[in-house]
Amino acid sequence: MKTNLITRAGWQKLEDELKYLWKVKRPQVTQAVSEAAALGDRSENAEYKEGKRELRAIDRRLRFLTKRLDALKIVEYSPQQEGKVYFGAWVELENDQGDIVHYRIVGTDEIDTKNNYITIDSPMARALIGKQVDDEVRVNTPSGEKEWYINKIQYQPFV
């Protein structure tokens, strides 16, 4: 089951996508479809068929974003969170081999593996929630149990 939590930045990104699709992209595609339809026979009109297909895809995404934004709960930072890992935290972890990794705990709509954003529903995030600096964290992975130590916790990006 997906957790319906999101950071303010994540929510804003989804809202910006919704506005762009509704105010910019959909009118452009609708205009292109109208122009293609004016060319005549629609049964052999590739531009018309492609435009209609793109319009259906945009409408599906608009429906999804509208419903998803209504269901999401924005989690704001609170100073009481300092020193512990909660939703929205950036965490620096180190293992016994000295490997250091950085993760940010976010909602399922914000997962970004390139930037090491992990979902609150992941085993790693579940193990980290409520922990403090210097705590040991054990995470069950497909390759066995892994052990990490928390070096840093902050609610601003690592530099």
Side-chain angles (χ1 to χ4, degrees):
M1 186 174 140
K2 282 207 278 196
T3 303
N4 289 330
L5 302 178
I6 194 165
T7 63
R8 169 74 57 195
W11 194 87
Q12 189 62 53
K13 187 176 176 183
L14 292 179
E15 186 181 48
D16 290 346
E17 180 185 358
L18 177 73
K19 286 178 182 174
Y20 169 76
L21 288 173
W22 187 247
K23 304 264 185 196
V24 179
K25 187 68 175 174
R26 192 174 193 288
Q28 287 173 350
V29 174
T30 303
Q31 180 64 34
V33 168
S34 295
E35 290 169 5
L39 296 176
D41 185 11
R42 295 178 187 175
S43 65
E44 295 181 19
N45 188 331
E47 287 94 18
Y48 177 80
K49 288 180 179 179
E50 180 59 26
K52 291 294 281 184
R53 187 199 60 76
E54 188 175 358
L55 204 49
R56 284 191 301 274
I58 290 170
D59 288 344
R60 274 193 305 276
R61 184 69 179 161
L62 284 168
R63 277 191 302 279
F64 169 79
L65 288 171
T66 302
K67 288 178 183 176
R68 192 69 185 135
L69 285 169
D70 285 343
L72 290 170
K73 179 181 185 299
I74 299 171
V75 178
E76 299 286 358
Y77 165 75
S78 169
Q80 296 146 336
Q81 294 174 212
E82 282 299 325
K84 289 196 175 195
V85 179
Y86 292 109
F87 187 85
W90 277 269
V91 183
E92 180 181 279
L93 303 169
E94 185 173 358
N95 64 13
D96 288 332
Q97 292 75 36
D99 299 327
I100 295 178
V101 293
H102 295 101
Y103 291 115
R104 182 172 191 209
I105 300 172
V106 295
T108 56
D109 299 280
E110 302 174 88
I111 295 172
D112 181 355
T113 54
K114 185 178 74 178
N115 291 317
N116 291 333
Y117 282 24
I118 61 172
T119 175
I120 185 87
D121 299 322
S122 69
M124 175 65 87
R126 292 281 181 211
L128 288 169
I129 295 295
K131 300 287 196 267
Q132 303 178 72
V133 171
D134 294 331
D135 280 356
E136 182 180 300
V137 178
R138 294 175 190 267
V139 181
N140 287 320
T141 68
S143 60
E145 189 175 79
K146 305 281 184 188
E147 194 172 282
W148 296 90
Y149 302 96
I150 301 175
N151 288 342
K152 290 183 197 171
I153 303 166
Q154 56 192 59
Y155 288 87
Q156 296 297 318
F158 288 114
V159 182

